[in-house]
């Protein structure tokens, strides 16, 4: 007969643990259930249930920029537009919807 439970010991950064457990608590999910769900997804997916890769570029947090930095970002976007380095909005939204539907 298989064991009804097994112990898992892991070291995790205290801040990460606190933030994750706060979110799980708001969802009404005990941490042990979330870990069990994660392990089941690993089994179902035969690997991690999400992509593990470095981002190609760092998103700009517009609210954290100074006026000069914001002006520079706007100027970059304007230059990209003038030089044809843009995508039609329909294409961008189609890609977003395609990624959501996966």
């Amino acid at each position: 007969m298989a064991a009804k439970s097994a112990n898992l010991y892991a070291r995790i950064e205290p801040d990460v643990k606190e933030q994750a457990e706060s979110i799980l608590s708001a969802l009404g999910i005990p941490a042990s259930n979330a870990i069990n769900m994660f392990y089941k997804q690993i089994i179902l997916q035969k690997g991690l249930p999400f992509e593990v890769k470095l981002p190609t570029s760092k998103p700009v947090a517009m609210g954290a920029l100074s006026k000069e930095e914001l002006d520079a970002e706007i100027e970059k976007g304007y230059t990209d537009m003038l030089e044809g380095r843009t995508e039609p909005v329909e294409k961008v939204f189609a890609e977003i919807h395609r990624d959501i539907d996966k």
Side-chain angles (χ1 to χ4, degrees):
M1 180 172 193
K4 294 193 183 238
S5 67
N7 292 326
L8 171 71
Y9 299 97
R11 293 188 179 275
I12 188 166
E13 297 170 27
D15 187 50
V16 170
K17 179 180 181 287
E18 181 181 320
Q19 289 180 49
E21 287 181 353
S22 175
I23 293 167
L24 290 170
S25 176
L27 294 170
I29 302 171
S32 59
N33 287 21
I35 293 167
N36 195 44
M37 289 168 26
F38 176 62
Y39 271 46
K40 286 182 179 187
Q41 283 299 309
I42 290 171
I43 294 165
L44 288 170
Q45 301 292 326
K46 298 194 182 338
L48 291 176
F50 48 82
E51 287 188 61
V52 179
K53 63 180 184 177
L54 295 173
T56 55
S57 64
K58 183 179 177 185
V60 177
M62 298 303 239
L65 299 178
S66 68
K67 182 183 180 320
E68 293 77 20
E69 291 169 325
L70 179 59
D71 287 345
E73 287 296 323
I74 292 171
E75 187 65 35
K76 278 195 259 181
Y78 183 68
T79 301
D80 284 345
M81 183 191 71
L82 291 176
E83 295 180 4
R85 292 188 300 258
T86 60
E87 297 287 342
V89 69
E90 295 83 6
K91 180 180 177 186
V92 173
F93 280 116
E95 288 176 6
I96 290 170
H97 289 292
R98 184 194 70 224
D99 290 345
I100 291 172
D101 294 338
K102 282 185 178 179

